[in-house]
Amino acid sequence: MFVVGCVDEDHRGSEEGGRMKNEGEMQKGEEEEEDDQDYDSPPERQIVVGICSMMKKSKSKPMTQIMERLCKFEYITVVIFPEEVILNQPVDKWPLCDCLVSFHSKGTNQRTYVHPPYTINCIRREVYRILQEEGIDLPRYAVLTRDPDRPEECNLVEGEDHVEVNGEVFPKPFVEKPVSAEDHNVYVYYPTSAGGGSQRLFRKIGSRSSVYSPESCVRKTGSYIYEEFMPTDGTDVKVYTVGPDYAHAEARKSPALDGKVERDSEGKEIRYPVMLSAMEKLVARKVCLAFKQTVCGFDLLRANGHSFVCDVNGFSFVKNSMKYYDDCAKVLGNMVMRELAPQFHIPWSIPLEAEDIPIVPTTSGTMMELRCVIAIIRHGDRTPKQKMKMEVRHLLFFALFEKYGGYKSGKLKLKKPKQLQVSPSISSFPITQKPSVEYGHFSGINRKVQLTYLPNGQPKASSEEEGREESSQAYHVHD
């Protein structure tokens, strides 16, 4: 049996817990394994996780990173099916496994496993229908099927700035997608008021993901889905689930903008971390459950205050995120053990972690990673308050205080325009007591007046005022 692993022959003895079998390991024979004194054999009963895919995917960096972490589970062994076995051997000759990780790869045959395992993923079909049935928001769309046996689904009327598909009208701009999920040639058609033409999207080639074409007419051969164009902020949100309770999201520049792919110094496409709203997290859960895809990716469009799902990609991994690799392996490993450990009488329970300490490798060793700094700061560049504070004893202030019911609480706040017009007129009368603080010229009140009743006069501010006579009544006035 040909199996591929994540460690070479010289490092097998250093592996802890589970393991991933290497190419040619079975050919060495049991005798040579017994002679290897450094080799720690796994427990008697291992849960075998089979990876069924083409080598391009099974040996990709994300898959390798996740499988290496999955092998750290004590009772899990990973077996990767080689291409020649998948393509050329009968199914009953395929490796036996307890858990099958399988996803669609171009060139594979659709087969049924003879010994049914616990499956993590199934192949997706009829994406839009399932989204609608689950009540998940998606752009308004219509399907044009060019099939002689289904003429009722092939009614297309094209105008200068719109198309009518089976009675559904789509004004430009609109999106034209091939029905086949393997065809990534998606066109966006623009109205004549915006210059017309179309933006033609395709799988990334170098630094391009789309090109502009002056052609404004829709394609006349093939079956397509026509969608309402959603005006986003120039970004697409990619969401990756690992089970219904975990979702990782990233944003990238929309390929419909100018077609130029933004890349970093290492040549990788630039992506930005995204926080999902509570509703978007619920959508991620619904997509994962509806498509029966434990490891799943889908695209979100944020437009007009809502989020719409425009594509479901099936078995998809995040690229270049060590945090995601750790989380994905942990979720998958716990899922497999929770499902199969009781059947094989393996003593296992989900480990409880008191704290997820972010430790990262650096050139100076492993260190704790500062994830973020949160600060609430109020700037100090503001106009000072134009405020005057004084003690007054004039009878007109007492009358004003009583007129507006100030004696009920001992305080009065005047804000209405008529009230503010009365206060300056009262202030024009001679005031026996000078203001406690001189602010210079006082000209009008345009915000508010506050009065506080002081039955025994203003409290003494210092020992220097000991000799002053106490007044019977007074008010504090604030502008």
Side-chain angles (χ1 to χ4, degrees):
M1 181 171 59
F2 178 86
V3 286
V4 179
C6 61
V7 291
D8 57 29
E9 191 69 21
D10 295 330
H11 290 84
R12 286 188 303 168
S14 61
E15 282 292 308
E16 295 180 0
R19 56 173 180 160
M20 188 183 298
K21 293 185 179 179
N22 289 315
E23 177 180 354
E25 179 180 341
M26 300 301 294
Q27 298 175 0
K28 290 180 178 293
E30 296 181 358
E31 295 181 0
E32 184 173 342
E33 289 184 1
E34 291 176 357
D35 295 336
D36 189 352
Q37 299 298 324
D38 297 330
Y39 177 71
D40 295 329
S41 61
E44 278 189 20
R45 187 58 175 99
Q46 287 279 291
I47 296 175
V48 179
V49 176
I51 310 298
C52 182
S53 68
M54 296 292 95
M55 281 299 171
K56 181 179 179 181
K57 290 190 176 182
S58 60
K59 297 185 71 174
S60 65
K61 180 181 177 181
M63 178 66 84
T64 302
Q65 292 282 345
I66 293 169
M67 292 303 106
E68 285 179 357
R69 289 161 172 78
L70 192 61
C71 286
K72 293 181 180 180
F73 279 79
E74 182 180 357
Y75 297 99
I76 290 180
T77 296
V78 176
V79 175
I80 298 179
F81 295 8
E83 281 189 18
E84 54 266 33
V85 171
I86 298 173
L87 297 175
N88 303 321
Q89 295 293 326
V91 178
D92 57 0
K93 300 295 183 181
W94 287 11
L96 295 177
C97 64
D98 305 304
C99 172
L100 179 67
V101 178
S102 177
F103 50 97
H104 176 70
S105 294
K106 190 173 182 180
T108 58
N109 298 322
Q110 301 295 326
R111 304 194 185 192
T112 303
Y113 214 89
V114 174
H115 307 280
Y118 166 62
T119 57
I120 285 185
N121 284 82
C122 301
I123 299 173
R124 67 177 178 89
R125 295 184 180 93
E126 300 179 294
V127 174
Y128 280 63
R129 180 186 64 80
I130 295 175
L131 290 173
Q132 277 191 319
E133 289 180 354
E134 295 299 321
I136 298 171
D137 289 340
L138 66 160
R140 185 174 64 91
Y141 77 98
V143 181
L144 179 72
T145 305
R146 288 190 169 98
D147 186 346
D149 298 330
R150 302 161 71 179
E152 71 281 358
E153 297 181 10
C154 188
N155 297 315
L156 174 67
V157 179
E158 185 174 8
E160 184 179 28
D161 275 337
H162 76 280
V163 290
E164 182 179 336
V165 182
N166 301 326
E168 194 82 22
V169 178
F170 294 88
K172 293 181 180 180
F174 61 79
V175 182
E176 182 186 60
K177 291 181 177 180
V179 169
S180 172
E182 294 299 312
D183 190 344
H184 299 277
N185 295 295
V186 177
Y187 292 1
V188 180
Y189 295 90
Y190 300 117
T192 53
S193 59
S198 58
Q199 192 76 16
R200 305 191 169 191
L201 284 62
F202 45 81
R203 272 197 178 276
K204 291 189 289 287
I205 301 175
S207 61
R208 303 295 302 180
S209 59
S210 71
V211 294
Y212 175 78
S213 170
E215 180 61 53
S216 296
C217 296
V218 300
R219 287 171 277 190
K220 299 301 188 291
T221 58
S223 298
Y224 299 96
I225 295 175
Y226 290 87
E227 283 183 11
E228 180 181 9
F229 180 80
M230 309 304 295
T232 64
D233 59 355
T235 60
D236 293 340
V237 178
K238 300 283 189 178
V239 183
Y240 303 85
T241 69
V242 186
D245 300 319
Y246 180 91
H248 173 96
E250 296 178 342
R252 67 165 186 181
K253 177 183 173 183
S254 173
L257 284 180
D258 57 8
K260 185 176 180 181
V261 180
E262 290 185 340
R263 298 187 182 275
D264 58 19
S265 58
E266 298 180 356
K268 297 183 176 67
E269 184 181 24
I270 296 176
R271 297 198 175 186
Y272 310 93
V274 171
M275 294 293 292
L276 295 176
S277 66
M279 186 59 67
E280 289 170 339
K281 292 177 182 177
L282 181 59
V283 169
R285 178 181 178 85
K286 284 184 176 181
V287 169
C288 181
L289 295 174
F291 289 90
K292 300 179 181 178
Q293 296 276 41
T294 304
V295 178
C296 178
F298 64 93
D299 297 344
L300 271 181
L301 298 177
R302 289 175 167 175
N304 304 321
H306 297 279
S307 296
F308 303 87
V309 177
C310 65
D311 193 18
V312 180
N313 304 312
F315 206 108
S316 299
F317 288 128
V318 179
K319 299 177 179 65
N320 306 310
S321 173
M322 296 301 158
K323 178 69 168 59
Y324 170 80
Y325 298 151
D326 292 340
D327 293 341
C328 183
K330 186 183 301 183
V331 172
L332 291 178
N334 288 336
M335 186 182 302
V336 171
M337 294 300 298
R338 182 172 58 247
E339 182 73 21
L340 298 178
Q343 299 181 26
F344 301 141
H345 306 289
I346 297 174
W348 179 88
S349 60
I350 296 179
L352 300 177
E353 298 182 359
E355 184 179 3
D356 184 14
I357 301 175
I359 303 295
V360 295
T362 68
T363 54
S364 303
T366 55
M367 296 183 179
M368 290 186 64
E369 177 186 29
L370 179 62
R371 294 254 174 104
C372 69
V373 176
I374 300 175
I376 302 174
I377 302 172
R378 180 179 180 181
H379 67 81
D381 185 13
R382 53 168 294 173
T383 305
K385 290 183 179 179
Q386 301 297 321
K387 181 177 180 181
M388 178 174 284
K389 183 176 181 181
M390 68 182 74
E391 182 181 325
V392 296
R393 299 184 180 86
H394 199 283
L395 292 177
L396 290 177
F397 284 101
F398 282 85
L400 184 67
F401 196 76
E402 184 176 7
K403 178 181 178 180
Y404 292 106
Y407 287 108
K408 293 181 180 179
S409 61
K411 295 182 179 180
L412 182 62
K413 185 182 294 185
L414 306 177
K415 284 188 172 183
K416 295 181 179 180
K418 289 185 177 180
Q419 296 172 341
L420 297 180
Q421 290 172 3
V422 174
S423 299
S425 62
I426 296 176
S427 303
S428 63
F429 286 87
I431 300 176
T432 57
Q433 180 73 27
K434 292 177 67 177
S436 58
V437 180
E438 294 288 353
Y439 283 95
H441 178 67
F442 181 82
S443 58
I445 302 172
N446 59 12
R447 190 166 182 86
K448 66 179 178 179
V449 173
Q450 291 178 259
L451 292 90
T452 303
Y453 180 50
L454 304 174
N456 299 318
Q458 185 176 8
K460 296 181 179 63
S462 65
S463 59
E464 296 177 1
E465 300 180 0
E466 290 289 343
R468 296 185 182 180
E469 294 182 1
E470 291 186 355
S471 302
S472 58
Q473 290 182 328
Y475 290 95
H476 259 146
V477 180
H478 299 259
D479 170 29

